Amino acid sequence: MSETREDRPGHAPDLDEDERKNAQEEQSLDAKTTHEVIRLEGERELERSNSALAWSGLAAGLGMGFSLVAQGVLHHGLPDAPWRPLVSSLGYSVGFLIVILGSQQLFTENTLRVVAPLLARRDGKTFRNVARVWAVVLAANLVGALVFALVAARTEVFSAELRHSFTELSRKAMEPDFGLTLLRGIFAGWLIALMLWMIPAAKTAHLWVILIITWLVGAAHLSHVIAGAVEAFYLSALGEQGWDEALGGFILPALIGNVLGGTGLVAALNHAQAVSGARGTPG
């Protein structure tokens, strides 16, 4: 049996031609190739202009509002039984499906994608570019979430019965205090970044990966900064809480948690895994 490149001790950390081709075609099978797929996607995001990021981020913030709508439709239509939250949480996935399959910019995706090039280069220029992308996308996402919440709360585009369901769901999301929201945000950021890590290997099963992971985030009542911002802004638009409560009581801790979960637990650890795999075992 001939010795492969991976069998040889001390092989070079660079990707060979086949691995690079697989990365380009998103046909990843191992951590090293998956990392390269994510890094290449991140490089493309870092090259986008502020206006392109902002419009895409605005669309994503608006699209995430349909997570609340779909949950509200299911919540209203199902009987009040112990299993109702498990089924209605399928609606939570709708906004993510719209955003991810629609190639729109969602802040929590960028806790993984654009961080991969930063971890690979670790220079000031890339750090500033990552900060630019984060700031523009986050601001645009929040504006989109705010606009959707205002329309949903202050117009009759949705029925009174559905708006009642929106209110109940939003109240539930806002129950945890700052510390618990932050902790739940870590787990939400962790899962969303893991979902993005799995997508390249999923090939034709992208929809199922997105559906299952985001359903789990919703069913476990974890805190996603943009999906939750729609709910927080909705209650503020109704006058049930102050705008400062929406920003400081939910959005800030969820944001911190999502960044820690996505960047620390997925981007950094999987980067380390990929680099270790590339270095091989010293001979």
Side-chain angles (χ1 to χ4, degrees):
M1 180 181 297
S2 61
E3 185 182 43
T4 66
R5 179 175 180 269
E6 294 296 328
D7 293 330
R8 295 196 299 269
H11 61 77
D14 296 332
L15 296 172
D16 62 24
E17 184 177 349
D18 289 339
E19 288 169 330
R20 289 188 182 280
K21 182 178 179 181
N22 285 343
Q24 293 284 354
E25 296 175 353
E26 296 192 354
Q27 295 177 351
S28 58
L29 296 175
D30 55 24
K32 186 169 53 173
T33 311
T34 299
H35 180 274
E36 181 66 0
V37 172
I38 299 296
R39 188 192 68 78
L40 291 171
E41 291 176 347
E43 296 285 5
R44 288 193 292 271
E45 299 303 329
L46 291 173
E47 292 173 358
R48 299 185 70 179
S49 66
N50 287 344
S51 60
L53 291 169
W55 286 114
S56 184
L58 178 64
L62 291 167
M64 288 304 298
F66 288 103
S67 284
L68 178 59
V69 173
Q71 277 188 289
V73 169
L74 291 171
H75 182 271
H76 173 66
L78 293 169
D80 186 6
W83 48 264
R84 182 166 71 169
L86 295 176
V87 179
S88 64
S89 292
L90 289 171
Y92 189 81
S93 301
V94 170
F96 290 93
L97 288 167
I98 291 171
V99 169
I100 297 173
L101 296 182
S103 299
Q104 298 166 0
Q105 286 287 331
L106 188 63
F107 175 78
T108 45
E109 293 184 51
N110 283 320
T111 60
L112 175 64
R113 282 181 179 153
V114 299
V115 171
L118 176 61
L119 292 173
R121 287 198 290 272
R122 302 185 186 183
D123 58 20
K125 181 180 178 181
T126 306
F127 177 81
R128 290 189 294 272
N129 205 5
V130 169
R132 174 187 69 89
V133 171
W134 278 14
V136 172
V137 172
L138 177 62
N141 284 173
L142 291 176
V143 169
L146 174 61
V147 170
F148 194 100
L150 287 170
V151 172
R154 297 183 178 180
T155 72
E156 296 183 358
V157 65
F158 300 109
S159 68
E161 293 80 10
L162 279 182
R163 295 199 303 274
H164 178 71
S165 291
F166 298 165
T167 303
E168 288 188 355
L169 292 167
S170 298
R171 286 172 180 163
K172 180 70 176 178
M174 297 304 111
E175 284 178 357
D177 60 16
F178 188 101
L180 184 54
T181 299
L182 191 153
L183 186 58
R184 289 183 175 181
I186 291 174
F187 278 82
W190 185 2
L191 282 171
I192 296 301
L194 280 175
M195 175 188 72
L196 295 171
W197 184 265
M198 291 188 291
I199 281 177
K203 299 181 181 178
T204 59
H206 288 188
L207 186 148
W208 290 106
V209 171
I210 298 168
L211 182 65
I212 292 169
I213 296 298
T214 55
W215 169 84
L216 180 58
V217 173
H221 302 294
L222 302 179
S223 301
H224 184 274
V225 62
I226 307 304
V230 178
E231 297 165 323
F233 288 148
Y234 184 82
L235 290 182
S236 295
L238 290 177
E240 290 203 8
Q241 65 176 13
W243 294 101
D244 58 332
E245 292 179 85
L247 293 169
F250 178 83
I251 292 173
L252 179 59
L255 171 63
I256 296 170
N258 288 172
V259 170
L260 291 175
T263 301
L265 291 175
V266 179
L269 288 178
N270 284 333
H271 173 78
Q273 176 191 185
V275 170
S276 298
R279 287 172 182 165
T281 304

